[in-house]
Amino acid sequence: MSIIFHEKTKQFHLNNDYISYIIGVLPDGSLGQLYSGERIHDKEDYSYLINLEYRSMMVGLHDNEVFTQEINRMEYPSFGTGDYRAPAFMLMHENGSHVSRFEYVSHRIFPGKPALPGLPALYTEDDSEAESLEICLKDHLTGMGQYHLYTVFKDYPVIARSVRFVNGGSERVKITRAMSMALDLPDSDYVWMQFSGAWTREKRPIERLLTEGTVSIGSLRGHSSANHNPFVILKRRNTDEFKGEALGISLVYSGNFLMSAEGDTYGTLRFIAGIHPECFSWNLSPGDEFRTPEAVIAWTNEGLNDLSHTFHSLYRKRLCRGIWKEKPRPILLNNWEATYMGFNEESILKIASKGRDAGIELFVLDDGWFGKRDDDRSGLGDWYVNKDKLPGGIGGLSEKIHAMGMKFGLWFEPEMINEDSDLYRAHPDWVLSVPGRSRSVGRHQMVLDLSKNEVLEYLYERMHNIIDEGKIDYVKWDMNRTISECYSIGAEAEEQGTIYHKNVLNVYKLYEKLISDFPEILFESCASGGSRFDAGMLYYAPQTWGSDDTDAVERMKIQYGTSYGYPISSIGAHVSESPNQQTGRACSIETRAAVACFGTFGYEMDLNRLSDEEFETVKKQVIFMKEHRELLQGGRFYRLLSPYEGNYCAWMVVSEDRKRAIAACYRILAEVNPGHKRLKFTGLDPDKTYRIEGNEYFGDELMKIGLEIADIPKEGKGAEGDFVSRLWILE
Ligand code: DGJ
């Protein structure tokens, strides 16, 4: 791994064993993107990749008309100086002009990777793991500076990028657009893959062939959203899970975002990603600075599974933090679908003790334990225990759960408030809303204005005390509505464009304070399921509740889609009751667990309601999970058959040393007199022998010939008819 600077040509070559990323200073002083992708040789001069040719109807440099931005690949493009594609940034100067000209001034190359204060970002544990480059550009007329930070990692085909704007001039500047990255690619022959959906149907892979014009996704909901995930793949037409070229771009951010790819009419493609410029502005007084979130770009030549492995490993090891990041996760039991808010200490203990009998390790008390919270119309904001339900308080309940030998977890939804709450009665101005206008509500709740420090302090004090008194081991941090009327009462008019972003920054700040106070706690983020399942959140909480849809067939699809950009250890997945409460579908307890075990695994039901036979099965599942969770959550995960393409879904995990693997196949609908169908495994050692259910097979045999899957119902216990599954353990 190295970052090379060629003084004579002013070209930077960031590279490691896998990739090269070459940037050059262009004739107008700006940065040009010369090459990105599979590693190539270092060379002093790649300037033949800069287009110098006059063409009609283009504008060029005043004293060098053959250089025009329009047909060059720009590294961080501006608007108004000859480039008519989407800009990476836009500044409004005091004189009303939005034209800037940033020119290369200096750079520094250094080992390791600096933290981005206040923002989630990849990190190194040792400086030798990565090298960073900071390039400083200046707009000489205004004194504004741009600092482009790049990091190349030794062991990953990845570049991490972010930008810092520093006002080094004497006038105020308003930033109206500040993307985290732009990447101009030399051709637009790509298939764009996005992960979109809605509440309870998150992250469905959607593909579009790119051509001239713009394809984009984004969120203006104040959180990354279930509708579009801030992760996009660009792949070649012939790329599939096992072969071919692709790049993935992931934004390490949890708020409003925009990702777009613009094919221009000269055959090139511009990709940009960052904070959504709509409703965003940031004023910089002289001396002030603004930092964008980080974007992570990864490349592969070996198909989408390989691209996912990069994100899985990198995010598990160098984005997630704390003691839990690589540890097998405790098997949990959550009371939400069992009781909703209608519980008391007695009913909770009854559910918990059955969990203890099943071998469960963590009991989680969900929504409804605080304030006046018997339904979702009231109580949010009043983070004081409801003694009618829990007379011994959270501390009392926690003690009893701990005495059963289980850990105790608790639900919070700190960012929200109900109109019917003591908090709202005391502080009506703590709500995001526009004075004089009616306020939209969602789930009868409103959004707290976290840009206000006093709101942050209140939430910190309440959460800290409850966690401390209750000796809490796990926190589920929920967020159940999108933001509307984003206006901070009392803030200056010109500050209003900052509020969406400040809200996100203060959510991060609150997490950070609690994480540093309670480093042992396992945090799980949640937003009505996967409505804030993004790389930003993983920096604070190593797992996220995957979806409010706990139906096994639906979950299989959601987890399949989620696995493209996020590790299996980050996907909260539970077994819930059958028929399922969201779909009404009945599924065997085996199939439900066979899906949930490719996730953090737990139960979301009252186990007392199971038949004796089913309860015995649950006990065996818990034993199975304890034995195999390290592999299931941390092994190399491969997608084999897509549930979006047929009646079957299959995936597998393989241990790092390729000695063990677990594969799963799910058949959605029963087939009568089916044709033969073989599932070919992947990622195994071709020369090793694997034992499966008493039979021995070579790795190459399993990968080239595979196992018959049309007979799943014959073999699987309880697996007849629709929604059947089969797990194979390879040893
Ligand atoms: C939404 C979450 O996704 C559920 O799991 C549950 O915690 C509810 N909120 C509680 O209100």
Side-chain angles (χ1 to χ4, degrees):
M1 154 206 67
S2 68
I3 298 176
I4 301 161
F5 175 62
H6 294 288
E7 178 70 53
K8 215 162 108 206
T9 52
K10 299 249 176 318
Q11 288 174 13
F12 300 90
H13 187 169
L14 295 81
N15 64 82
N16 60 20
D17 288 348
Y18 318 99
I19 53 156
S20 283
Y21 191 96
I22 305 177
I23 307 165
V25 177
L26 298 175
D28 66 351
S30 65
L31 296 180
Q33 161 56 230
L34 302 186
Y35 173 81
S36 64
E38 192 175 5
R39 184 200 162 101
I40 56 171
H41 282 101
D42 181 54
K43 215 167 91 164
E44 169 133 45
D45 195 359
Y46 275 109
S47 43
Y48 68 90
L49 294 168
I50 302 171
N51 292 320
L52 295 175
E53 47 176 323
Y54 174 76
R55 295 194 187 187
S56 293
M57 294 304 285
M58 289 184 183
V59 299
L61 269 180
H62 184 253
D63 50 1
N64 181 7
E65 224 179 300
V66 293
F67 175 77
T68 168
Q69 294 178 349
E70 182 165 357
I71 48 166
N72 271 289
R73 291 192 285 123
M74 312 299 292
E75 184 61 11
Y76 197 67
S78 62
F79 182 77
T81 54
D83 188 338
Y84 298 96
R85 296 160 287 182
F89 70 97
M90 187 88 88
L91 305 180
M92 186 59 82
H93 302 287
E94 261 192 1
N95 66 359
S97 151
H98 55 251
V99 175
S100 306
R101 265 208 192 269
F102 281 91
E103 294 176 34
Y104 167 80
V105 173
S106 60
H107 71 272
R108 61 189 187 102
I109 295 169
F110 50 97
K113 179 176 191 296
L116 306 185
L119 282 166
L122 296 175
Y123 60 89
T124 52
E125 285 190 345
D126 186 310
D127 276 355
S128 65
E129 292 173 11
E131 202 168 16
S132 295
L133 161 69
E134 190 181 60
I135 310 179
C136 167
L137 277 70
K138 266 224 162 84
D139 181 351
H140 294 295
L141 184 68
T142 61
M144 272 292 290
Q146 260 180 15
Y147 294 80
H148 295 265
L149 179 66
Y150 296 85
T151 298
V152 57
F153 291 81
K154 185 156 120 306
D155 295 328
Y156 295 98
V158 157
I159 297 279
R161 288 178 65 172
S162 61
V163 185
R164 187 163 54 99
F165 290 83
V166 180
N167 188 349
S170 54
E171 295 187 346
R172 278 165 37 115
V173 175
K174 183 191 256 190
I175 304 174
T176 57
R177 181 183 184 97
M179 306 307 284
S180 299
M181 62 161 287
L183 182 62
D184 281 359
L185 295 163
D187 69 83
S188 55
D189 194 12
Y190 286 94
V191 176
W192 156 289
M193 217 176 156
Q194 69 192 55
F195 300 87
S196 298
W199 172 70
T200 60
R201 52 183 173 88
E202 295 89 343
K203 297 186 200 59
R204 291 166 182 236
I206 293 168
E207 297 187 3
R208 287 191 252 180
L209 188 58
L210 294 177
T211 178
E212 292 166 2
T214 302
V215 166
S216 76
I217 54 159
S219 168
L220 283 169
R221 295 162 188 272
H223 56 107
S224 49
S225 90
N227 305 68
H228 300 297
N229 193 262
F231 175 65
V232 162
I233 293 174
L234 300 179
K235 59 174 186 170
R236 296 299 189 183
R237 286 179 216 220
N238 63 354
T239 297
D240 60 24
E241 293 289 1
F242 310 100
K243 62 165 196 334
E245 200 187 306
L247 61 151
I249 302 104
S250 173
L251 194 64
V252 189
Y253 187 57
S254 312
N256 289 349
F257 75 93
L258 173 68
M259 284 178 144
S260 86
E262 178 180 2
D264 70 2
T265 51
Y266 298 94
T268 69
L269 188 77
R270 169 165 297 169
F271 190 95
I272 55 171
I275 295 179
H276 204 303
E278 204 76 60
C279 302
F280 167 81
S281 63
W282 203 275
N283 292 301
L284 289 187
S285 295
D288 284 355
E289 64 175 60
F290 176 79
R291 193 184 288 275
T292 71
E294 181 164 88
V296 177
I297 316 165
W299 288 264
T300 182
N301 275 325
E302 288 165 33
L304 301 182
N305 273 316
D306 186 63
L307 186 69
S308 297
H309 294 157
T310 296
F311 283 105
H312 290 184
S313 168
L314 184 65
Y315 281 2
R316 232 167 101 76
K317 295 178 203 283
R318 293 295 179 264
L319 177 64
C320 295
R321 298 176 294 166
I323 61 164
W324 286 103
K325 65 175 188 173
E326 289 189 80
K327 258 204 205 172
R329 304 296 158 71
I331 298 169
L332 69 78
L333 174 61
N334 177 305
N335 73 303
W336 178 242
E337 288 196 15
T339 64
Y340 294 100
M341 297 179 206
F343 59 80
N344 57 29
E345 191 180 87
E346 195 191 339
S347 61
I348 287 298
L349 289 174
K350 196 165 161 230
I351 294 171
S353 66
K354 193 72 176 174
R356 184 258 335 265
D357 296 347
I360 281 170
E361 299 157 311
L362 163 67
F363 178 80
V364 180
L365 181 63
D366 212 282
D367 193 354
W369 57 266
F370 52 90
K372 182 174 147 277
R373 184 79 171 160
D374 297 322
D375 57 37
D376 54 21
R377 291 180 175 273
S378 60
L380 279 176
D382 296 342
W383 299 108
Y384 296 88
V385 70
N386 180 329
K387 291 251 171 134
D388 294 336
K389 289 184 188 176
L390 303 174
I394 287 295
L397 178 63
S398 166
E399 218 176 289
K400 289 179 183 148
I401 302 284
H402 283 138
M404 288 181 194
M406 285 188 288
K407 293 187 181 303
F408 180 60
L410 195 61
W411 179 96
F412 287 93
E413 191 180 0
E415 297 151 69
M416 301 291 158
I417 181 168
N418 282 118
E419 198 163 326
D420 185 1
S421 68
D422 292 341
L423 187 68
Y424 181 73
R425 284 181 278 276
H427 300 285
D429 57 331
W430 280 13
V431 170
L432 287 174
S433 60
V434 186
R437 292 199 184 278
S438 71
R439 254 183 334 233
S440 308
V441 285
R443 206 194 185 197
H444 316 290
Q445 65 198 51
M446 299 168 296
V447 186
L448 279 171
D449 178 0
L450 266 94
S451 74
K452 290 185 165 48
N453 278 334
E454 56 275 32
V455 175
L456 200 67
E457 275 157 25
Y458 167 77
L459 293 173
Y460 171 65
E461 186 273 329
R462 282 292 74 222
M463 290 178 83
H464 178 100
N465 285 351
I466 292 159
I467 292 171
D468 196 33
E469 280 164 29
K471 301 198 172 36
I472 308 296
D473 304 296
Y474 157 108
V475 167
K476 178 176 175 187
W477 183 315
D478 207 347
M479 197 286 285
N480 287 306
R481 69 153 280 189
T482 55
I483 295 181
S484 58
E485 292 92 26
C486 184
Y487 186 92
S488 176
I489 299 168
E492 298 287 323
E494 61 191 20
E495 288 303 304
Q496 298 297 341
T498 67
I499 302 304
Y500 275 117
H501 184 53
K502 280 187 180 155
N503 246 59
V504 179
L505 293 180
N506 277 349
V507 170
Y508 291 156
K509 200 183 219 174
L510 186 55
Y511 256 115
E512 193 65 50
K513 278 158 88 76
L514 293 167
I515 287 170
S516 57
D517 291 352
F518 304 104
E520 313 265 293
I521 288 186
L522 172 60
F523 282 86
E524 175 156 346
S525 74
C526 172
S528 284
S531 297
R532 196 163 61 185
F533 198 134
D534 56 60
M537 277 293 132
L538 292 184
Y539 187 66
Y540 304 94
Q543 60 190 58
T544 302
W545 180 224
S547 177
D548 271 353
D549 189 344
T550 58
D551 172 90
V553 177
E554 297 283 298
R555 260 317 186 104
M556 182 174 78
K557 295 183 178 167
I558 294 165
Q559 290 169 215
Y560 198 92
T562 306
S563 76
Y564 281 91
Y566 303 97
I568 300 309
S569 59
S570 71
I571 307 175
H574 301 166
V575 175
S576 62
E577 70 181 32
S578 177
N580 178 269
Q581 295 183 10
Q582 293 84 42
T583 60
R585 179 183 282 138
C587 250
S588 71
I589 191 98
E590 285 85 358
T591 293
R592 282 176 274 157
V595 174
C597 71
F598 288 85
T600 58
F601 198 74
Y603 293 82
E604 177 118 1
M605 64 201 300
D606 184 351
L607 297 173
N608 293 294
R609 293 188 209 149
L610 293 178
S611 67
D612 291 348
E613 196 192 343
E614 280 178 322
F615 187 66
E616 287 310 308
T617 306
V618 166
K619 283 194 197 156
K620 287 190 199 128
Q621 290 170 348
V622 171
I623 293 168
F624 168 86
M625 198 60 200
K626 284 180 182 166
E627 191 180 337
H628 297 292
R629 61 185 151 185
E630 205 157 343
L631 173 58
L632 287 160
Q633 293 166 356
R636 212 168 240 265
F637 179 83
Y638 294 89
R639 291 172 298 271
L640 301 177
L641 290 178
S642 168
Y644 295 98
E645 287 169 14
N647 196 27
Y648 289 80
C649 169
W651 53 44
M652 68 188 292
V653 282
V654 182
S655 64
E656 275 310 317
D657 60 8
R658 296 194 292 173
K659 285 189 175 156
R660 293 185 314 124
I662 297 178
C665 184
Y666 313 89
R667 197 190 62 194
I668 300 170
L669 294 180
E671 293 171 344
V672 182
N673 191 19
H676 292 290
K677 201 169 170 60
R678 304 196 77 85
L679 176 67
K680 291 180 185 164
F681 292 163
T682 192
L684 302 174
D685 182 335
D687 302 321
K688 278 200 170 90
T689 318
Y690 295 88
R691 211 173 28 253
I692 307 177
E693 295 166 358
N695 298 317
E696 291 206 337
Y697 306 86
F698 284 110
D700 58 1
E701 191 183 346
L702 290 168
M703 295 193 287
K704 306 276 177 218
I705 301 173
L707 296 181
E708 175 71 52
I709 52 173
D711 67 351
I712 285 179
K714 269 192 246 150
E715 308 273 342
K717 169 128 180 34
E720 277 145 19
D722 299 336
F723 324 124
V724 295
S725 63
R726 182 88 175 264
L727 286 180
W728 293 278
I729 299 172
L730 286 69
E731 268 159 331

